[in-house]
């Protein structure tokens, strides 16, 4: 009974954090739109300042908000009964959307700079931002190749999982830091009369946006790093089924297929070994953050 109460308390705490993260992330996207429509020239795709404005809006929407949701999608307790393969597709799909939006936002900046004869890639913001996009695309590609497609052996997945998790969280934190650098840089350049140092309403609005991005990132990283909110190994592997009924997409599937002509005792021992291997694999850090 005490354990059940503790579980419910943990579940309640997770829901509060999740709701807070979603609210803060959503408000961040809204504030980015208020910024570009109320204080800047809105959105367009004609080489004007309106084209540049796609950059902060798409970065905050895709590279921060959607990537953050992708990171914690395995942590949602009501998804633990869904097949692991389905959750992998959702995780990969959200990250792919975030990647597309980030690339479009980069194109907008380069086009705007080239139209206005502004130099490209001279600031620290641009250096780290481009590095983050490159590493994110590599992370996405390797995630598809190793964890989504059924070809990589289990031992390779287990070996790469901690690296996959660490690099995903590092890229996410780097993206938020780069966004903070970018909005500060934009305010310093754009606010001349009154200047940024005089704290006009636009400066206050965008400073608040930066604070919200830090809060959003902190909430996501906290939820992603708590071991007790990890998807349970038993649910992960979906092992507790009749012998020979391994679900599609689990790592035990290949073991089961290869053993299809064996007798039941061999099959049972193979399944048990695969179950142990799956649990070991899960303990290596089964919270993919592509």
């Amino acid at each position: 009974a005490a354990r059940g109460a503790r579980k419910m308390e943990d579940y309640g705490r997770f829901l509060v954090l999740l709701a807070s993260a979603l609210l803060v992330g959503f408000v961040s996207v809204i504030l980015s739109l208020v910024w570009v429509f109320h204080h800047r020239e809105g959105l367009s795709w004609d080489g004007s300042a309106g084209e540049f404005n796609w950059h902060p809006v798409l970065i905050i929407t895709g590279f921060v908000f959607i990537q953050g949701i992708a990171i914690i999608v395995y942590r949602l307790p009501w998804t633990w009964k869904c097949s692991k393969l389905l959750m992998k597709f959702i995780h990969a799909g959200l990250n792919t959307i975030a990647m597309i939006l980030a690339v479009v936002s980069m194109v907008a900046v380069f086009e705007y700079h080239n139209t206005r004869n502004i130099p490209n890639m001279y600031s620290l913001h641009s250096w780290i931002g481009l590095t983050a996009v490159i590493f994110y695309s590599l992370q996405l590609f390797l995630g598809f190749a190793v964890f989504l497609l059924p070809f990589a052996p289990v031992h390779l997945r287990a070996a790469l999982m901690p690296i996959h998790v660490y690099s995903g969280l590092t890229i996410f934190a780097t993206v938020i830091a780069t966004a903070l650098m970018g909005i500060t840089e934009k305010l310093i350049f754009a606010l001349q009369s009154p200047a940024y140092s005089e704290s006009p309403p636009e400066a206050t609005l965008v400073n608040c946006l930066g604070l919200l991005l830090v809060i959003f990132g902190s909430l996501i990283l906290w939820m992603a790093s708590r071991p007790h909110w990890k998807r349970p190994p038993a649910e992960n592997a979906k092992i507790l089924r009749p012998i020979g009924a391994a679900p599609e997409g689990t790592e035990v599937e290949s073991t089961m297929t290869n053993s299809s002509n064996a007798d039941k005792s061999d099959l049972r021992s193979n399944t048990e070994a695969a179950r142990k291997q799956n649990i070991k694999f899960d303990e290596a850090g089964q919270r993919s953050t592509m």
Side-chain angles (χ1 to χ4, degrees):
R3 187 181 296 174
R6 200 178 307 121
K7 243 181 181 176
M8 285 305 294
E9 186 183 332
D10 262 357
Y11 182 65
R13 197 175 294 133
F14 179 85
L15 288 183
V16 169
L17 285 172
L18 177 64
S20 303
L22 290 174
L23 178 64
V24 170
F26 183 71
V27 171
S28 299
V29 172
I30 297 300
L31 283 189
S32 73
L33 290 167
V34 170
W35 178 26
V36 303
F37 279 105
H38 186 64
H39 294 285
R40 296 287 119 200
E41 293 80 4
L43 295 171
S44 62
W45 200 276
D46 55 8
S48 69
E51 182 169 352
F52 173 88
N53 290 341
W54 281 107
H55 183 66
V57 170
L58 292 182
I59 288 294
I60 290 167
T61 305
F63 225 15
V64 176
F65 186 47
I66 296 177
Q67 186 189 172
I69 302 307
I71 284 173
I72 58 163
V73 76
Y74 287 116
R75 296 290 172 122
L76 308 178
W78 53 89
T79 69
W80 291 348
K81 291 185 179 178
C82 298
S83 85
K84 184 65 191 296
L85 185 64
L86 172 64
M87 297 314 299
K88 284 182 180 181
F89 273 113
I90 292 172
H91 176 72
L94 288 170
N95 278 294
T96 303
I97 292 168
M99 181 72 204
I100 291 167
L101 295 181
V103 169
V104 173
S105 81
M106 300 277 285
V107 171
V109 170
F110 280 107
E111 280 203 9
Y112 170 75
H113 278 195
N114 293 338
T115 303
R116 297 296 182 91
N117 292 317
I118 299 170
N120 288 308
M121 300 304 301
Y122 65 89
S123 67
L124 182 59
H125 166 71
S126 61
W127 285 21
I128 298 180
L130 184 60
T131 302
V133 170
I134 290 169
F135 275 94
Y136 191 71
S137 60
L138 287 172
Q139 174 89 336
L140 196 57
F141 172 76
L142 289 173
F144 271 107
V146 176
F147 300 107
L148 191 60
L149 299 178
F151 308 119
V154 172
H155 65 83
L156 178 64
R157 295 183 184 200
L160 290 181
M161 180 57 76
I163 299 169
H164 182 71
V165 171
Y166 174 79
S167 57
L169 297 178
T170 303
I171 291 167
F172 177 67
T174 302
V175 165
I176 290 178
T178 311
L180 299 179
M181 294 163 64
I183 60 180
T184 305
E185 187 179 297
K186 179 63 177 175
L187 289 176
I188 291 170
F189 287 155
L191 294 178
Q192 300 297 335
S193 182
Y196 188 17
S197 59
E198 295 175 42
S199 297
E202 181 179 354
T204 304
L205 174 82
V206 179
N207 285 352
C208 289
L209 171 60
L211 282 173
L212 289 179
L213 294 180
V214 172
I215 293 167
F216 177 75
S218 301
L219 290 169
I220 294 295
L221 292 173
W222 180 261
M223 285 188 282
S225 60
R226 298 305 92 195
H228 53 280
W229 287 333
K230 191 166 68 172
R231 183 182 169 105
E235 290 293 337
N236 244 345
K238 296 283 185 187
I239 287 296
L240 304 176
R241 292 188 172 206
I243 297 302
E248 181 187 359
T250 59
E251 282 71 27
V252 72
E253 186 178 20
S254 58
T255 308
M256 301 301 292
T257 306
N258 294 339
S259 306
S260 58
N261 297 323
D263 62 34
K264 284 186 179 179
S265 61
D266 287 343
L267 202 53
R268 189 172 289 109
S269 63
N270 282 343
T271 306
E272 180 63 22
R275 185 182 69 79
K276 287 176 181 173
Q277 194 171 24
N278 262 287
I279 290 172
K280 183 181 176 185
F281 169 49
D282 190 81
E283 285 169 353
Q286 191 67 353
R287 52 180 186 276
S288 307
T289 52
M290 242 190 276

